[in-house]
Amino acid sequence: MNGIIKPGCDRRGFIKSIGVGFGSVVLLSPGDIARAQQIADSTAGLSPSDLTWGKAPCRYCGTGCGVEVGVRDGKVMAVRGDEASPVNRGLLCVKGYHLPAMLYGSDRLLHPQLRQPDGSLKQISWDEALDLIAEKFSDALKDHGPESVAVYGSGQWTIFDGYAALKWVKAGMRSNNLDPNARLCMASAVMGFVTQFQSDEPMGCYEDLDAGDDFVLWGNNMAEMHPVLFSRILENKRRNLHVRIIDLATRRTPTSDYADMYVEFVPGTDLAIANAIIHQLIKNGNVNKAFIEENCVFKRGIEDIDEIGYGCYDDQVERYTFKDKPKDATYEELAEFVEEYTPEKVSKIAGISVAQIEALAEIYGNSRRGTVSLWCMGVNQHTRGTWMNNLINNLHLLTGKISRPGANPLSLTGQPSACGTAREVGTLSNRLPADMLVTKEEHRRKAEKIWGLPEGTIPAKPGYHAVDMFRALTRGDVKAMWIQVTNPWVTMPNLNRFKRKPNDGRFVVVSDIYPTPTTDAADLILPSAAWVEREGMFGNTERRTQHWDKQVDPPGEAKEDAWQIVQVAKRMGFENLFPWPDDNWHKPMFEEYRSFTLGVGKDLASYDQLRSTRGLTWPVVDGKETRYRYAAGYDPYVKKKKGVHFYKAKGYGERAAVWLRPYHPPAEVPDEDYPFWLSTGRVLEHWHTGSMTRRVTQLHQAVPEAYVEINRADAVELGVKMGDKVRVVSRRGSMELPVKIDGRGKPPRGRVFVPFFDEARLINRVTLDAMDNISKEPDYKKCAVKIELITMNSITS
């Protein structure tokens, strides 16, 4: 393997092929605006100088690209990449350039609507809607207690939204039944960091993409899912011919086309591969023993597969309450533990060559080269996702390639504020702000003191995590639920479990900007303000908190989600939790939240500083941001002159934990009846469930429907061609889809892939709701299916 760039592998070629660009402005066409708002004015003849420009982070993924927003006559008419942003430096992907149209779909929700007994919707006033929510949640609390209420939020919540929900649920209603959709995508990364460093979120930053020598992508189609960040790696590669990209994946993707080494493994065997790399590092003497002795401890937990299980119950009654039991271990135990993971044995398990395992070990073990590991849903949505996060972090700890430029593990994020809101604010069922836990008395007392509450107000028992929350709703244990900024009737695994029945005795509120399958399941629908129609803050993958001002009014009666929550809380008698004036609450709310973070290594910049900058990476001390956590010379909490100090890991003697984690097979594997692996994911043009991007004409026309990718040889054997309709069938359900052969994604024989953005083709009726034993994150990447031919199509492949 060498570092020579392949033909056509330069950054500009990538930008052109994958649909990203810079140095330009995209104006909404007259057709887009007419379709969306039936307004008469046209963009024809407008130039950038005709618009008023403001800053904001992009509304979509966790990259946090800076966007300049062009406004005229109260409408967002254009966007352009913000050249002052350190994240994207003026570059945007195809979704980012079509942000304005996301706001102006013709079916925006404009007024509160209450479902009637016959299933129809009736427009009601905001006062009626808010009074009804307060009544229903109060009745549930009175009659059934705090476990009967729940709020399901989002990594798309702003920091204000998440903090308002956290206070209302945990301090007001005294319930911990608050969880975000980030449980479905980032919880394993959270628990990976927490179990090893006793603090969440990466130690590195995006500058690693400019400084690294080797980039190991673990199940991560970065070229499509994070194209702006991938372009930074390609620019590094263009300037430095020694830079290498290694793509470990279960199917070929556009990322594979740019890789120096492509490693295609059997789904679920990444645990074995990582252990084989560790085996080789120890065998070849390529561990950094001095670093380990100074900075690491060793741990292991429950390893018996039967004791752990997979968290899916057919009767839906039992809660998944597995709890690991950590115990001390040693380096010598680790060496003995990985002895069985020889390259020869793992080659047979994972379906990769011995030479590839040896090459991966050489990459991680070469002390003269910086290695950056990157991963996202392929690792996190995994029945042993926490373990896999642990093993990737282990590779960096054992080699000392951590907390320094160009040498770090970097977990990528899928939502714009999964980090800033779900993880940092703590809108998870077991958490409080700034790494604090409801299970720890000192953490509850700190929150109660800041919030002015009597001791004992916040319950110590964690609430329902996302999957169990919806199981509880289906059982009837949850009587009142509020869903904001997410679409669970598309995204929950094994969707057939969660069908609602008329008059089922539950009350479900949904706040959103468009009709979705989730609003179809709601008793009350509330119209939300979106993106720059309200003030907000997001926190991105690299710990960068970014603020934006309101720049246009929302349509109709739409209101921001935080306002909705606060108004209900006040109606329920919790005015003391939100003492700020209705016309000036964003700054005091943020500064109260910020007080949790100060002095504990999670320090956020002030409201005023964030408002005047393109964001800052925490910890921010004395107004200065931190690029590398735990690193001498970068992190103000590190007093050493050189090296690292994992000061957050108090329970480990301020050292990081290397965990011994075995290989376990997936919860379900192909067999004679269901011979194919199914994996699900995203596509470049659409974001998550497509409720926004499918309303953008250009993006919808580019990929108008979901499909099933099938290997060409499998298609011949099945007798299907491009465009034929087939039925993808699992033990849980089925879905009819058109066939795609040799598209951007190319699965090997025995594997199929389906994107989940299409609400008309709900692939999560097929998926399995097995989940990680520690993080409680479902596995959307591995289940067994069969393919049945329905109709032939005249299209040839």
Side-chain angles (χ1 to χ4, degrees), residues 53-56 67-68 82 547-549 551 610-611 613-614:
W53 295 89
K55 71 174 177 74
V67 176
E68 289 189 279
D82 187 351
H547 173 275
W548 73 91
D549 287 319
Q551 296 174 46
L610 291 172
R611 195 161 183 255
T613 64
R614 260 58 176 183

Side-chain angles (χ1 to χ4, degrees), residues 502-637:
N503 306 311
D504 61 7
R506 275 73 109 188
F507 180 70
V508 176
V509 188
V510 176
S511 300
D512 212 324
I513 64 174
Y514 287 113
T516 68
T518 301
T519 62
D520 290 344
D523 299 292
L524 178 63
I525 303 169
L526 302 180
S528 293
W531 194 38
V532 295
E533 295 169 351
R534 40 80 57 88
E535 182 179 352
M537 287 189 189
F538 286 156
N540 77 349
T541 296
E542 65 166 350
R543 298 173 282 109
R544 182 176 301 277
T545 313
Q546 302 185 80
H547 173 275
W548 73 91
D549 287 319
K550 177 181 176 181
Q551 296 174 46
V552 295
D553 289 328
E557 296 182 284
K559 303 286 188 182
E560 71 174 287
D561 298 289
W563 179 89
Q564 298 173 26
I565 293 167
V566 170
Q567 295 306 310
V568 169
K570 289 181 176 179
R571 281 167 166 78
M572 293 177 67
F574 304 131
E575 298 94 336
N576 61 306
L577 297 178
F578 304 100
W580 313 295
D582 287 343
D583 60 350
N584 184 29
W585 54 271
H586 290 92
K587 181 175 179 178
M589 176 186 280
F590 177 78
E591 290 297 342
E592 179 185 276
Y593 159 57
R594 178 177 173 244
S595 68
F596 281 93
T597 73
L598 299 179
V600 296
K602 307 280 285 192
D603 313 59
L604 296 176
S606 70
Y607 175 92
D608 291 335
Q609 192 174 12
L610 291 172
R611 195 161 183 255
S612 64
T613 64
R614 260 58 176 183
L616 293 168
T617 53
W618 57 261
V620 180
V621 177
D622 297 329
K624 296 179 181 179
E625 65 181 339
T626 299
R627 289 150 57 209
Y628 293 97
R629 293 177 80 191
Y630 312 127
Y634 291 96
D635 189 333
Y637 283 88

Side-chain angles (χ1 to χ4, degrees), residues 268-281:
T269 62
D270 42 3
L271 289 157
I273 296 169
N275 275 317
I277 297 171
I278 295 172
H279 170 100
Q280 287 297 101
L281 289 173

Side-chain angles (χ1 to χ4, degrees), residues 152 181 184 486-493 495 688-689 756 762 764 780:
Y152 186 58
N181 63 0
L184 310 182
T486 188
N487 195 5
W489 263 268
V490 174
T491 58
M492 294 302 294
L495 266 175
H688 285 207
T689 65
F756 68 88
L762 295 174
N764 280 319
Y780 294 88

Side-chain angles (χ1 to χ4, degrees), residues 54-208:
K55 71 174 177 74
C58 179
R59 173 59 181 79
Y60 292 124
C61 80
T63 299
C65 291
V67 176
E68 289 189 279
V69 182
V71 175
R72 177 170 168 147
D73 298 328
K75 301 292 178 187
V76 176
M77 308 294 277
V79 294
R80 62 189 178 195
D82 187 351
E83 294 183 5
S85 169
V87 171
N88 55 311
R89 305 164 181 170
L91 185 69
L92 292 177
C93 78
V94 65
K95 293 185 292 294
Y97 271 126
H98 289 93
L99 274 165
M102 173 271 289
L103 297 171
Y104 299 125
S106 58
D107 57 345
R108 272 294 293 267
L109 296 173
L110 303 176
H111 309 284
Q113 300 174 82
L114 180 64
R115 196 167 302 281
Q116 302 302 295
D118 64 359
S120 64
L121 292 170
K122 176 186 176 182
Q123 181 179 327
I124 62 174
S125 71
W126 267 109
D127 280 336
E128 290 174 304
L130 298 170
D131 288 345
L132 180 61
I133 299 170
E135 175 190 331
K136 293 290 187 179
F137 275 79
S138 295
D139 288 348
L141 288 169
K142 179 183 176 182
D143 297 338
H144 305 285
E147 286 211 0
S148 70
V149 297
V151 173
Y152 186 58
S154 175
Q156 301 159 61
W157 258 345
T158 69
I159 288 172
F160 303 113
D161 303 332
Y163 190 67
L166 181 79
K167 288 193 76 176
W168 176 50
V169 175
K170 301 197 176 189
M173 294 192 291
R174 302 190 179 194
S175 172
N176 283 322
N177 287 343
L178 169 68
D179 219 47
N181 63 0
R183 176 74 67 179
L184 310 182
C185 57
M186 295 311 303
S188 296
V190 172
M191 293 312 299
F193 286 123
V194 167
T195 55
Q196 294 187 272
F197 307 99
Q198 297 197 319
S199 180
D200 185 22
E201 298 198 48
M203 53 289 300
C205 64
Y206 294 159
E207 291 182 23
D208 286 328

Side-chain angles (χ1 to χ4, degrees), residues 19 117 140-141 157 169 247 263 312 365 370 394 462 562 605 614 645 708:
L141 288 169
W157 258 345
V169 175
D247 180 30
V263 181
C312 43
N394 283 356
R614 260 58 176 183
H645 179 198
V708 54

